Amino acid sequence: MHYTGNTDQSSARYWNDLAKLYQKETRISTSDFHYGPLLPGDSKLKLLPAIGTPFQCLEIGCGAGQNSIFLAKQGAQCIATDISEKQLAHGRKLAAAENVTVNFRCISMDSLREGLLREGLLPDHAFDLIHSTYALPFSADPQKVIADAAAVLKPGGTFLLTTGHPLYTGEWLDIGDGEEGLFLPDYFRPEPDVRISPDGQTLSAAQTWPASTIAEWLHSAGLLIERFLEPEPMPIPDMSEAEVRAAVPYESNGWRELYPQLTRAPIVMLFKAVHQNF
Ligand SMILES: C[S@@+](CC[C@H](N)C(=O)[O-])C[C@H]1O[C@@H](n2cnc3c(N)ncnc32)[C@H](O)[C@@H]1O
């Protein structure tokens, strides 16, 4: 199969096919805000702004919306968007089980403002917080996603973006004496990570960009970067199962196997930016 780039149609098919397995194999907490595999949640990183009343949130590429459900539990009004109806269906079930209201909508991040308008969910500058955890890598037009997010953020509002780290696209090689080192062919033009769906029918690619490229996209969108983090994983081997459950909001057996690599190269980078025009 030949990879020709993600489109709304190919992404919807790929993620609809993967949704059941993804939600079954990954333990994603709704009691903390997660940023990625084996990483500390917001109870440790403390990047979320204080939740006022009212407090309007928008999640981009929400999956089953565990982060939106967490925010809704704190009293926020949450819209959670994704391209995959199957992922959204998991989210609706989970929110009902947790007894909270989250407005789940099928909107592509690549036409975010158009989608919000179509669904009657705008005026502009509507949101106090826009957040997205590892969805941007699947965008066909990431700079537009950031510009659209900035346009619908309230002046002074927060954009919390977690996206893939280009270093993690490197390859682990044996460098002698049983030691592994990371080989990165090109930091400035990282190769996409092309994946095949469980039914073998669709391809999807996760793309990363240099940290400075994302920073420039945020700057051009009128956002001011307040924090930039490359978080290290929690010390999983030193923790009991109960401690992992309590303090690691996103994990799976597959991710635990990758712990040694995760301790040596950041898998995500995390930007907290604020809308400057106020
Ligand atoms: C790695 S998952 C992350 C999901 C969720 N943020 C989490 O942390 O569990 C990536 C998500 O991006 C969604 N996605 C992919 N392409 C998209 C697009 N064009 N618009 C909106 N969501 C998209 C997928 O359906 C999937 O739910």
Side-chain angles (χ1 to χ4, degrees), residues 32 42 86-88 101 103 112 127 197 211 218 235 259 262:
D32 198 351
D42 199 69
K86 290 261 166 71
Q87 290 276 63
L88 294 166
T101 303
N103 190 350
L112 184 65
F127 298 102
S197 62
L218 291 165
Y259 178 76
L262 291 165

Side-chain angles (χ1 to χ4, degrees), residues 89-104:
H90 280 283
R92 290 187 184 106
K93 239 194 233 169
L94 194 57
E98 301 255 359
N99 217 8
V100 290
T101 303
V102 171
N103 190 350
F104 285 99

Side-chain angles (χ1 to χ4, degrees), residues 6-12 14-16 18-19 22-23 26 28 34-36 59-67 81-85 87-88 105-112 131-140 145 195 204 250:
N6 295 342
T7 63
D8 283 358
Q9 289 75 13
S10 68
S11 292
Y14 176 85
W15 284 98
N16 280 337
L18 188 61
Y22 178 79
Q23 297 300 337
T26 324
I28 311 179
H34 69 270
Y35 293 104
E59 180 165 11
I60 301 173
C62 64
Q66 286 88 348
N67 277 346
T81 61
D82 201 280
I83 194 72
S84 160
E85 282 290 4
Q87 290 276 63
L88 294 166
R105 297 292 179 115
C106 190
I107 295 175
S108 171
M109 65 182 139
D110 290 323
S111 47
L112 184 65
H131 55 106
S132 187
T133 298
Y134 214 94
L136 197 70
F138 303 99
S139 169
V145 177
R195 307 151 176 210
S204 173
Y250 187 107

Side-chain angles (χ1 to χ4, degrees), residues 72 127-128 193 203 212 265 278:
F127 298 102
D128 297 284
D193 172 17
L203 293 179
S212 53
F278 62 100

Side-chain angles (χ1 to χ4, degrees), residues 3-273:
Y3 169 69
T4 50
N6 295 342
T7 63
D8 283 358
Q9 289 75 13
S10 68
S11 292
R13 280 181 56 202
Y14 176 85
W15 284 98
N16 280 337
D17 190 35
L18 188 61
K20 192 169 176 190
L21 193 68
Y22 178 79
Q23 297 300 337
K24 186 171 162 230
E25 289 193 342
T26 324
R27 186 182 62 78
I28 311 179
S29 172
T30 57
S31 306
D32 198 351
F33 188 99
H34 69 270
Y35 293 104
L38 310 189
L39 302 180
D42 199 69
S43 55
K44 286 235 158 32
L45 296 183
K46 301 205 182 302
L47 297 172
L48 282 174
I51 296 178
T53 40
F55 196 77
Q56 311 284 348
C57 301
L58 172 68
E59 180 165 11
I60 301 173
C62 64
Q66 286 88 348
N67 277 346
S68 291
I69 292 172
F70 168 77
L71 291 167
K73 285 192 203 172
Q74 322 302 309
Q77 283 84 53
C78 297
I79 298 173
T81 61
D82 201 280
I83 194 72
S84 160
E85 282 290 4
K86 290 261 166 71
Q87 290 276 63
L88 294 166
H90 280 283
R92 290 187 184 106
K93 239 194 233 169
L94 194 57
E98 301 255 359
N99 217 8
V100 290
T101 303
V102 171
N103 190 350
F104 285 99
R105 297 292 179 115
C106 190
I107 295 175
S108 171
M109 65 182 139
D110 290 323
S111 47
L112 184 65
R113 280 182 79 187
E114 299 89 323
L116 289 167
L117 270 172
R118 185 187 69 228
E119 302 275 326
L121 295 170
L122 275 183
D124 266 5
H125 304 302
F127 298 102
D128 297 284
L129 169 67
I130 300 182
H131 55 106
S132 187
T133 298
Y134 214 94
L136 197 70
F138 303 99
S139 169
D141 194 350
Q143 186 171 9
K144 178 177 184 297
V145 177
I146 290 174
D148 275 11
V152 300
L153 205 54
K154 273 184 191 166
T158 302
F159 184 39
L160 205 44
L161 174 68
T162 303
T163 192
H165 202 298
L167 278 182
Y168 206 78
T169 63
E171 204 181 326
W172 291 94
L173 299 179
D174 187 341
I175 52 170
D177 296 330
E179 206 189 330
E180 281 199 321
L182 188 61
F183 172 66
L184 184 72
D186 187 341
Y187 175 79
F188 294 108
R189 282 154 293 270
E191 283 293 313
D193 172 17
V194 180
R195 307 151 176 210
I196 192 153
S197 62
D199 70 357
Q201 296 303 308
T202 18
L203 293 179
S204 173
Q207 184 69 60
T208 58
W209 303 274
S212 53
T213 301
I214 309 262
E216 283 301 293
W217 291 341
L218 291 165
H219 172 73
S220 320
L223 298 169
L224 184 67
I225 298 170
E226 253 187 13
R227 305 279 302 276
F228 170 68
L229 271 72
E230 299 163 307
E232 289 187 47
M234 296 289 285
I236 304 288
D238 303 334
M239 297 168 80
S240 69
E241 269 315 301
E243 285 168 336
V244 171
R245 291 213 149 248
V248 185
Y250 187 107
E251 59 112 4
S252 68
N253 289 337
W255 284 116
R256 287 191 195 200
E257 280 167 25
L258 292 169
Y259 178 76
Q261 282 96 331
L262 291 165
T263 58
R264 294 183 63 194
I267 188 162
V268 294
M269 46 190 177
L270 225 152
F271 295 88
K272 177 180 183 179

